[in-house]
């Protein structure tokens, strides 16, 4: 499979990365090279093979339902580019 | 003891000398702080934290006088900038985290500091650990302290992504450092600069507080001058962490105390598929030499097959970007790090501009690939397929363990290359990790040990891969190589 | 209700409705972090570093949330998946710090089940329909955006970020707004019985995404629209009604329905398209590599099963078996608090044969009184054991119905025990034949003409004598004894 300019732009939109037309054009062959290279996997017969679920055998541990965190608003907001009245602030969202 | 002699010491040497009273922790810390200050030309450190190192040293000196210094007392270390360090800027080598100061300490660094270690600073790295040459850092390339023996002064890569970590140990700016390994990022740079690097079993070291690249692959591990030091550091870094769901709830063995280069009754597998077309003769020779050393240590050498080896890299370059595309979605300019707000733009524009300005080209490339392989209509063809092949790769290893206890392979297909040499061709760069990626996909422990020099006088490494949780097997075989290789070369100081 | 139709210009249309109900799981801490979940905290006060998606933060599953989802599944007779897994749903929004929601797409924790729904719960004869449950999965809630605090900025509060939700997805089995309303009410009732969700729709603990399409009889399903986040039964019904009519209008005008997400505007009572430019959502779901699959042990499952309370349908059947009328049984089981009250009263009463008397008293007397004082059953001034005492006093003849009403009134006012009230105010009914005979003698003596008329055949006067006797006894005469003695005295 290959991507064209429109697809590259769509991927960039999905990924929320602004690209200029020139950057998008440059990305077309770059991404296609990589995609064609990874498509080697089509040679592998994976009929009936279960996708890997856990890298190393391990079990889910369920946490106790106890309040052990929170109440750290200053720490949460400390790195915010914009924070006001205890909130993070972002450019106005119109719904 | 003079400063230069102190900075030549290993972690074990510092630890033991400090306990014997040969020198104070303060002297050691000052010697390394001075070395770091004198090595700006390498660009290995993004942030220097002499105060942290000196404070830990003073605490160590006090603890010694009270008779009970914790295990890493007096040992200053460097921390890869992927580890969140409380109150100390953490950028993962990226613009998008510029100015970010974590209000928390990663579990691994917390353990190291609790064990008495002090921090010399934060080490440069490939941006978000994506790279094999340290050329994707937003804060400039790291220069390897090594130079080719051809008299030219071509700046060389220290490898990546733990490039700053590798350069720091090789240049004796720190006796030991943390690295992280997603597809080879501890082992390949260790091999490139002639030091030892150990990637433990997936789940040994907590990932809590380590900036995520690819969650199912990321593992922290130590890099140091020799195998013993790696064992010491890994003991301090490892252990169950309830804050990481993938952390292994298993006891941490006394790897250092149990260490032995006697490999009688061990079988060492040589995977046929690692003999790649066009592999340099020097690498081939080194590998043969490694077999001979291990045979000498008492091991039986057996041929094994890992049939899906050639598919490991393409598998990796689907799974890792896919996970990364999601892991890096949190860098959006809302809660921390860079924010770029275009004049009239709304929230969506803020996202797009922030991420365009904050991420480097390689990071963007991988986010785009990852976004694509997960997108509607492509998930099965790419991502699911890759997870199936990954299962086959893991199965290959399982089958090999029926015939052998550890595997011996080269660490990288070449010695360190010059900066700029491969940066134009992503796939050529990806091929660097051809020998390290398969064991990452299977979550297995692996070590790279310096084993010799190539014709240009540059270090080459050998890799030992072990069963899950058998770090001991890996350490022991690494030690057997180390004892026989007698690798003592170090770069001539030019910086 | 099965044949609810909307008559269009081209003939009758049938509605097809499916609901995705998001129910906040009752838990102290969030699904993947130890931050609190309580309602109404200061902005960002209940946020951990995990909830704020700081670099390197990792999720760890809250076992209680898993248990609540499984208990809910069991209560709906649904298949419990012993192996389930979390997936990431990737999209960017300012209220979603990670850039993805951790949810369950491929392997939800609960599979198919069903809910029996009666359109008119209070009419035992109304039709019962089984609405299929497609699945229940666990997921994180998002934070909150506040738009009206600043002219050019929106504010982000992450207190809700990471709170556990169960998404309960129905099959497209509902055919009318009433049926959808009944489904939500019944579901809410069950969740509250189970204790897995407080069902508080005003605080957002329950909200529904409503999928609506229309079709001609026996035609295949039409294209549906999803109305997001509707937060009351009334609005759900209004949204369905409006949306169905809108779709019919479009279709009858020769147009086609575009599959889209819409919003219900309660002020205008209409739905409108939420994202006109709908830039191709592509959630790129994949298994969350930070989490391992959840495998449920036998032990865990039996713990869930053993902790389930008796559910409304079973309770209703049990009440009916005790002789409680169908209407009373329906009313008493609709809300868990009422059923809890009634059960406690039955226990204290310890006389199953009086169950319907007790039911009548709760439904008529208690509810009426609570209504007057504006209290809910949990705040009733009369405790279940006190109610039982009162009923016992009636049953053993200590109180007549009339006296019981008087006593109850005092109980509602003072919260006192009925025995004490009877004692203190001398409200005890008397069956003392001597005393009653004496009063009867006086009454007859004072009304000689009427006695003569009665004896002359005017039977209707009997009631007059009863009334006079009771009045003279201040209502305390045992009516049965009074009747009997009067008959005797009047010969
Ligand atoms: Mg939905
Ligand atoms: Zn949902």
């Amino acid at each position: 499979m290959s991507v064209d300019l429109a697809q590259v732009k769509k991927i960039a939109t999905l990924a929320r990365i602004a690209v200029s037309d020139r950057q998008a054009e440059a990305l077309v062959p770059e991404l296609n090279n990589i995609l064609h290279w990874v498509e080697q996997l089509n040679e592998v017969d994976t009929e009936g093979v279960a996708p890997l679920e856990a890298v190393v055998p391990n079990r889910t541990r369920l946490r106790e339902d106890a309040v052990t965190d929170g109440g750290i608003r200053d720490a949460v907001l400390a790195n915010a580019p914009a924070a006001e009245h205890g909130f993070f602030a972002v450019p106005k969202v119109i719904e | 003891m003079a400063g230069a002699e102190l900075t030549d010491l290993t972690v074990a040497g510092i630890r033991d000398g400090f306990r014997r009273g040969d020198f104070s922790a303060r002297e050691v810390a000052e010697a390394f702080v001075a070395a770091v200050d004198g090595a700006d030309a390498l660009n290995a450190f993004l942030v220097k934290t002499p105060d942290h190192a000196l404070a830990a040293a003073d605490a160590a000196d006090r603890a010694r006088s009270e008779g009970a210094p914790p295990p890493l007392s007096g040992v200053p270390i460097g921390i890869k900038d992927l580890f969140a360090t409380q109150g100390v800027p953490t950028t993962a080598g990226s613009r998008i985290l510029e100015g970010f100061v974590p209000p928390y300490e990663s579990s691994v660094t917390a353990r190291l500091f609790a064990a008495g270690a002090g921090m010399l600073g934060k080490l440069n790295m490939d941006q978000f650990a994506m790279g094999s040459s340290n050329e994707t850092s937003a804060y400039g390339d790291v220069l390897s302290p090594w130079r080719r023996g051809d008299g030219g002064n071509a700046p060389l890569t220290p490898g990546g992504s733990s490039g700053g970590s590798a350069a720091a140990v090789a240049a004796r700016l720190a006796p030991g450092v943390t690295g992280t390994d997603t597809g080879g990022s501890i082992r390949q740079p260790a091999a490139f600069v002639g030091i030892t690097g150990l990637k433990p079993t997936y789940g040994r070291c907590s990932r809590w507080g380590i900036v995520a690249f690819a969650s199912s692959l990321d593992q922290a591990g130590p890099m140091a001058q020799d195998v013993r030091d790696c064992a010491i550091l890994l003991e301090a870094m490892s252990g169950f962490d309830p804050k990481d769901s993938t952390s292994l709830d298993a006891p941490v063995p006394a790897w250092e105390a149990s260490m032995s280069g006697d490999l009688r009754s061990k079988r060492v597998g040589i995977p046929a598929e690692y003999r790649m077309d066009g592999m340099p003769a020097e690498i081939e020779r080194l590998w043969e030499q490694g077999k001979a050393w291990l045979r000498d240590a008492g091991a039986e050498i057996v041929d094994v097959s890992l049939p899906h080896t050639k598919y490991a890299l393409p598998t990796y370059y689907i799974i890792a970007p896919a996970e990364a595309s999601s892991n890096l979605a949190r860098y959006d300019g809302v809660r921390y790090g860079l924010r770029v707000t275009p004049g009239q733009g709304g929230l969506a524009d803020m996202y797009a501009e922030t991420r365009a300005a904050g991420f480097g080209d390689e990071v963007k490339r991988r986010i785009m690939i990852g976004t694509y392989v997960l997108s509607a209509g492509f998930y099965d063809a790419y991502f699911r397929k890759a997870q199936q092949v990954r299962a086959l790769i893991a199965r290959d290893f399982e089958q090999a363990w029926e015939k052998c206890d550890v595997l011996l392979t080269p660490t990288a297909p070449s010695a360190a290359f010059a900066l700029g040499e491969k940066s134009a061709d992503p796939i050529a760069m990806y091929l660097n990790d051809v020998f390290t990626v398969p064991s990452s996909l299977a979550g297995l422990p692996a070590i790279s040990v310096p084993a010799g020099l190539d014709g240009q006088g540059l270090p080459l490494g050998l890799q030992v891969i072990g069963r899950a949780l058998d770090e001991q097997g890996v350490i022991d075989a690494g030690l057997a190589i180390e004892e026989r290789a007698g690798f003592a070369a170090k770069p001539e100081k030019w910086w | 209700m099965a044949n609810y139709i909307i008559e269009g210009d081209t003939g009758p249309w049938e509605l097809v409705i499916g609901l995705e109900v998001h129910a906040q799981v009752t838990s102290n801490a969030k699904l993947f972090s130890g931050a609190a979940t309580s309602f109404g905290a200061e902005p960002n006060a209940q946020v951990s570093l995990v909830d704020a998606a700081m670099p390197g933060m990792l999720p760890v599953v809250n076992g209680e949330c898993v248990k609540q989802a499984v208990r809910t599944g069991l209560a709906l007779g649904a298949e419990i998946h012993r192996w389930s897994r979390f997936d990431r749903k990737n999209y960017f929004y300012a209220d979603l710090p990670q850039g993805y929601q951790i949810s369950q797409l491929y392997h939800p924790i609960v599979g198919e089940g069903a809910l029996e729904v009666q359109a008119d719960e209070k009419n035992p004869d109304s039709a019962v329909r089984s609405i299929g449950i497609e699945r229940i999965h666990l997921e994180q809630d998002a934070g909150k955006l506040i738009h009206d605090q600043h002219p050019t900025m929106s504010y982000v509060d992450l207190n809700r970020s990471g709170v556990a939700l169960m998404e309960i997805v129905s099959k497209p089995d509902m055919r009318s707004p009433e049926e959808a309303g009944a489904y939500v009410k019944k579901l809410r009732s069950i969740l509250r019985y189970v204790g897995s969700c407080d069902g508080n729709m005003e605080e957002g603990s329950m909200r529904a995404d409503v999928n609506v399409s229309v079709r001609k009889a026996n035609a295949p399903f039409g294209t549906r629209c999803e109305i997001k986040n509707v937060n009351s039964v009334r609005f759900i019904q209004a949204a369905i009604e409006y949306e169905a009519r809108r779709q019919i209008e479009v279709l009858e005008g020769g147009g086609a329905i575009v599959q889209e997400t819409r919003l219900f505007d309660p002020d205008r009572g209409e739905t409108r398209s939420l994202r006109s430019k709908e830039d191709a959502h592509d959630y790129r779901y994949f298994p969350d590599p930070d989490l391992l699959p959840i495998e449920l042990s036998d032990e865990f499952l039996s713990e869930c099963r053993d902790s389930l309370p008796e559910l409304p349908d079973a309770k209703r059947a049990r009440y009916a078996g005790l002789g409680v009328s169908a209407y009373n049984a329906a009313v008493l089981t609709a809300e868990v608090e009422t059923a809890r009250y009634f059960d406690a009263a039955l226990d204290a009463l310890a006389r199953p044969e009086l169950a319907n008397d007790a039911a009548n008293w709760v439904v008529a007397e208690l509810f009426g009184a609570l209504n007057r004082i504006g209290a809910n059953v949990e705040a009733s001034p009369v405790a279940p054991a006190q109610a039982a005492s009162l009923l016992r006093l009636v049953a053993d003849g200590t109180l007549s119905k009339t006296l019981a009403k008087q006593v109850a009134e005092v109980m509602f006012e003072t919260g006192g025990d009925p025995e004490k009230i009877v004692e203190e105010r001398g409200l005890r009914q008397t069956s003392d034949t001597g005393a009653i005979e004496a009063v009867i003698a006086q009454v007859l003596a004072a009304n000689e003409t009427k006695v003569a008329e009665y004896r002359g055949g005017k039977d209707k006067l009997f009631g007059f004598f009863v009334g006079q006797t009771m009045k003279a006894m201040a209502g305390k005469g045992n009516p049965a004894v009074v009747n009997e003695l009067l008959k005797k005295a009047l010969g």
Side-chain angles (χ1 to χ4, degrees):
Chain A
M1 280 170 268
S2 317
V3 291
D4 57 21
L5 185 63
Q7 278 169 300
V8 166
K9 287 184 174 175
K10 193 187 147 208
I11 297 165
T13 305
L14 268 180
R16 297 291 187 277
I17 297 174
V19 289
S20 66
D21 285 351
R22 246 193 45 220
Q23 287 169 320
E25 275 161 31
L27 276 164
V28 173
E30 268 181 40
L31 298 189
N32 277 329
N33 277 343
I34 297 168
L35 289 172
H36 292 150
W37 175 68
V38 299
E39 279 163 18
Q40 289 175 69
L41 296 192
N42 294 335
E43 297 165 15
V44 185
D45 180 5
T46 50
E47 186 71 37
V49 177
L52 188 108
E53 282 293 348
V55 186
V56 167
N58 202 346
R59 279 187 319 113
T60 288
R61 294 171 298 271
L62 299 175
R63 213 180 75 230
E64 288 286 319
D65 181 32
V67 176
T68 56
D69 210 339
I72 47 165
R73 179 159 83 188
D74 291 348
V76 164
L77 296 176
N79 283 281
E84 292 177 16
H85 313 301
F87 296 97
F88 294 100
V90 296
K92 195 136 195 134
V93 182
I94 297 114
E95 278 182 283
Chain B
M1 228 170 169
E5 290 170 60
L6 285 172
T7 56
D8 266 336
L9 290 173
T10 60
V11 169
I14 293 169
R15 176 191 66 184
D16 300 342
F18 165 73
R19 273 161 202 266
R20 278 195 307 268
D22 296 353
F23 40 75
S24 69
R26 178 100 197 168
E27 286 174 82
V28 175
E30 281 172 350
F32 279 105
V33 166
V36 169
D37 272 335
D40 288 349
L42 298 177
N43 198 28
F45 280 84
L46 294 176
V47 181
K48 298 174 191 173
T49 54
D51 292 348
H52 191 287
L54 293 171
D58 291 344
D61 286 330
R62 279 195 305 275
R64 183 178 61 178
S65 68
E66 285 153 17
L72 288 179
S73 286
V75 181
I77 56 174
I79 302 296
K80 187 179 183 178
D81 202 33
L82 205 60
F83 294 80
T85 41
Q86 186 161 11
V88 177
T90 300
T91 64
S94 180
R95 242 352 129 206
I96 209 157
L97 274 174
E98 189 146 19
F100 175 63
V101 181
Y104 52 97
E105 188 70 52
S106 85
S107 291
V108 164
T109 46
R111 278 178 183 276
L112 285 164
F113 299 155
M119 172 168 61
L120 291 160
K122 301 297 292 288
L123 293 157
N124 202 346
M125 55 178 285
D126 276 303
Q127 190 164 155
F128 284 103
M130 297 177 187
S132 303
S133 64
N134 216 114
E135 290 167 291
T136 72
S137 169
Y139 304 99
D141 302 344
V142 175
L143 271 62
S144 172
W146 291 85
R147 285 181 166 172
R148 285 179 179 141
D150 58 7
N153 285 335
L156 301 179
T157 173
S161 66
S162 310
S165 300
V169 174
R172 306 296 188 249
L173 312 181
V177 295
T178 63
T180 64
D181 191 313
T182 302
S185 284
I186 285 175
R187 293 160 286 166
Q188 180 256 22
F192 276 14
V193 301
I195 65 168
T196 305
L198 174 53
K199 178 197 97 73
T201 308
Y202 181 82
R204 265 292 187 211
C205 291
S206 170
R207 292 186 296 113
W208 194 89
I210 300 175
V211 176
F213 161 17
S215 310
S216 76
L217 293 148
D218 296 343
Q219 258 303 289
M223 300 164 80
Q225 288 183 40
D226 64 16
V227 174
R228 175 179 299 275
D229 283 6
C230 284
I232 293 169
L233 291 171
L234 187 60
E235 276 182 43
M237 295 166 73
S238 300
F240 175 58
D241 182 1
K243 293 189 287 189
D244 173 1
S245 297
T246 60
S247 173
L248 287 166
D249 191 359
V252 177
W255 289 305
E256 187 199 6
S258 314
M259 225 165 73
S260 159
D262 181 350
L263 300 188
R264 279 173 299 184
S265 84
K266 294 282 184 189
R267 296 161 303 167
V268 176
I270 308 296
E273 292 77 7
Y274 280 57
R275 187 159 285 107
M276 300 267 168
D277 289 343
M279 187 155 87
E282 287 169 314
I283 305 274
E284 176 93 48
R285 256 198 311 279
L286 187 76
W287 195 6
E288 286 303 316
Q289 179 62 68
K291 284 201 252 180
W293 286 332
L294 293 180
R295 202 178 282 120
D296 180 62
E300 179 194 346
I301 306 294
V302 297
D303 288 326
V304 297
S305 172
L306 301 170
H308 296 90
T309 298
K310 77 174 269 211
Y311 300 109
L313 274 177
T315 299
Y316 176 87
Y317 277 97
I318 290 170
I319 292 168
E323 293 183 6
S325 71
S326 177
N327 282 335
L328 271 58
R330 66 187 56 199
Y331 304 103
D332 57 10
V334 174
R335 296 165 316 286
Y336 43 77
L338 183 72
R339 171 184 292 192
V340 179
T341 316
Q344 295 302 310
L347 183 70
D349 303 290
M350 182 189 97
Y351 286 155
E353 295 298 339
T354 297
R355 292 162 63 79
F359 291 138
D361 287 344
E362 181 62 20
V363 173
K364 288 181 194 170
R365 187 151 45 227
R366 295 201 197 185
I367 290 176
M368 300 271 288
I369 289 284
T371 301
Y372 181 72
V373 300
L374 290 175
S375 62
F378 301 106
Y379 177 85
D380 284 346
Y382 290 104
F383 188 78
R384 189 168 187 280
K385 179 84 181 179
Q387 288 289 31
Q388 287 177 307
V389 177
R390 187 176 183 182
L392 293 174
I393 289 166
R395 190 200 288 171
D396 284 354
F397 282 108
E398 282 307 312
Q399 284 166 357
W401 303 136
E402 288 165 16
K403 292 190 181 155
C404 64
D405 302 300
V406 292
L407 295 160
L408 176 72
T409 80
T411 305
S414 73
F417 45 90
L419 291 170
E421 204 176 302
K422 299 193 183 189
S423 38
D425 181 356
I427 293 175
M429 187 68 86
Y430 299 168
L431 289 172
N432 257 288
D433 297 327
V434 64
F435 299 135
T436 49
V437 153
S439 44
S440 290
L441 288 169
L444 304 175
I447 198 168
S448 176
V449 177
L453 299 174
D454 76 351
Q456 298 274 12
L458 295 182
L460 296 171
L462 283 173
Q463 174 179 231
V464 178
I465 302 166
R467 290 187 177 92
L469 293 173
D470 187 24
E471 281 81 2
Q472 193 72 60
V474 163
I475 287 167
D476 289 354
L479 181 65
I481 294 169
E482 180 181 280
E483 285 169 348
R484 285 161 185 79
F487 186 90
K490 67 174 194 170
E492 197 93 26
K493 185 171 187 305
W494 54 262
W495 54 92
Chain C
M1 97 182 138
N3 41 25
Y4 178 93
I5 48 159
I6 292 179
E7 210 49 64
D9 294 342
T10 61
W13 292 85
E14 186 183 59
L15 275 59
V16 176
I17 304 154
L19 293 177
E20 297 162 22
V21 173
H22 285 94
Q24 179 179 334
V25 177
T26 300
S27 64
N28 299 316
K30 294 183 180 180
L31 181 52
F32 297 114
S33 89
T37 58
S38 44
F39 183 77
E42 288 289 293
N44 291 308
Q46 295 182 163
V47 178
S48 75
L49 300 170
V50 175
D51 307 321
M54 292 285 164
M57 293 301 95
L58 297 171
V60 181
V61 184
N62 182 342
E64 179 66 12
C65 301
V66 174
K67 188 180 264 176
Q68 292 287 37
V70 170
R71 293 174 73 245
T72 304
L74 290 169
L76 294 172
E79 187 191 350
I80 306 301
H81 292 154
R82 302 184 64 134
W83 192 97
S84 67
R85 198 182 63 191
F86 287 102
D87 302 298
R88 292 185 184 176
K89 177 182 183 178
N90 293 283
Y91 65 97
F92 287 88
Y93 204 56
D95 64 7
L96 189 72
Q98 293 163 137
Y100 54 84
Q101 178 196 34
I102 306 180
S103 182
Q104 298 188 300
L105 174 71
Y106 297 106
H107 298 277
I109 188 152
V110 177
E112 294 190 10
L115 193 57
E116 306 261 285
V117 167
Q118 206 165 9
D120 183 357
E121 288 268 310
K122 306 212 167 133
N123 172 6
D125 298 326
S126 73
V128 173
R129 288 206 55 219
S130 175
I131 307 300
I133 304 283
E134 178 74 39
R135 56 189 279 152
I136 303 176
H137 63 256
L138 278 167
E139 61 185 25
Q140 307 172 286
D141 204 350
K144 225 170 104 184
L145 276 174
I146 294 133
H147 305 296
D148 55 4
Q149 300 283 307
H150 191 284
T152 61
M153 301 285 246
S154 290
Y155 286 163
V156 187
D157 174 12
L158 299 179
N159 279 347
R160 286 197 71 90
S161 165
V163 165
L165 302 177
M166 293 179 280
E167 183 172 333
I168 303 156
V169 183
S170 84
K171 300 201 169 179
D173 285 354
M174 285 156 277
R175 295 290 176 268
S176 72
E178 290 67 35
E179 209 164 86
Y183 168 85
V184 173
K185 282 189 223 156
K186 182 70 176 285
L187 181 61
R188 178 174 176 278
S189 165
I190 289 181
L191 296 179
R192 298 181 75 245
Y193 265 82
V194 170
S196 59
C197 171
D198 67 20
N200 192 333
M201 296 184 95
E202 299 85 71
E203 290 179 4
S205 296
M206 252 182 104
R207 45 199 204 261
D209 298 341
V210 185
N211 287 286
V212 180
S213 64
V214 295
R215 65 172 175 183
K216 286 288 174 71
N218 301 318
F221 287 164
T223 303
R224 67 191 160 88
C225 290
E226 183 179 23
I227 310 153
K228 282 274 181 201
N229 267 331
V230 192
N231 63 1
S232 85
V233 172
R234 200 158 54 84
F235 293 164
I236 290 170
Q237 295 184 335
I240 293 169
E241 179 89 33
Y242 176 89
E243 178 60 16
R245 291 189 187 280
R246 184 191 72 86
Q247 291 184 13
I248 291 166
E249 202 171 300
V250 170
L251 292 169
E252 292 192 331
I257 302 302
V258 191
Q259 185 164 345
E260 62 175 357
T261 305
R262 300 178 69 85
L263 196 74
F264 179 68
D265 180 341
D267 297 331
R268 301 162 150 239
E270 58 187 40
T271 67
R272 60 165 186 273
S273 188
L274 185 56
R275 294 182 188 102
S276 46
K277 46 183 193 241
E278 188 91 1
D279 48 356
H281 275 266
D282 187 338
Y283 292 124
R284 291 159 285 136
Y285 280 98
F286 76 108
D288 191 326
D290 285 332
L291 292 161
L292 299 165
I294 298 178
E295 289 166 84
L296 302 178
S297 65
D298 290 338
E299 198 194 341
F300 186 89
L301 287 176
S302 46
E303 250 175 66
C304 291
R305 208 169 277 123
D306 295 347
S307 68
L308 279 185
E310 184 182 33
L311 295 169
D313 287 352
K315 230 181 240 304
R316 223 165 134 173
R318 179 165 62 84
Y319 292 169
L322 290 171
V324 174
S325 74
Y327 173 81
N328 280 347
V331 172
L332 290 169
T333 53
E335 292 289 341
V336 64
E337 290 83 3
T338 314
R340 216 173 272 149
Y341 186 98
F342 184 62
D343 277 336
L346 278 186
D347 278 354
L349 190 56
R351 288 178 61 180
E353 75 279 8
L354 297 179
N356 196 42
D357 291 344
N360 280 329
W361 187 83
V362 169
V363 171
E365 303 294 328
L366 178 69
F367 285 6
L370 291 176
N371 245 338
R372 280 196 295 278
I373 59 173
N376 59 33
V377 71
E378 285 173 296
S380 166
V382 175
Q386 293 174 313
S389 299
L390 180 66
L391 289 161
R392 219 180 289 114
L393 291 173
V394 174
D396 69 12
T398 309
L399 290 177
S400 64
K401 291 254 163 69
T402 322
L403 279 176
K405 271 191 208 232
Q406 289 179 43
V407 173
E409 231 162 81
V410 181
M411 289 167 77
F412 285 121
E413 251 164 55
T414 64
D417 288 330
E419 292 90 342
K420 243 187 169 168
I421 294 166
V422 167
E423 218 49 64
E424 282 169 9
R425 312 210 171 189
L427 293 171
R428 183 180 294 278
Q429 164 175 279
T430 177
S431 307
D432 177 339
T433 47
I436 295 174
E437 273 165 353
V439 174
I440 287 175
Q442 285 168 24
V443 168
L444 297 192
N447 295 283
E448 278 176 3
T449 352
K450 290 216 161 82
V451 172
E453 283 174 34
Y454 176 82
R455 289 191 173 134
K458 213 167 175 193
D459 286 357
K460 272 196 239 154
L461 280 171
F462 188 73
F464 166 80
F465 296 115
V466 174
Q468 289 299 305
T469 309
M470 290 301 261
K471 197 173 157 196
M473 296 189 73
K476 289 179 220 159
N478 180 329
V481 180
V482 168
N483 274 350
E484 197 192 310
L485 295 179
L486 254 179
K487 264 186 192 143
K488 214 198 274 171
L490 286 167

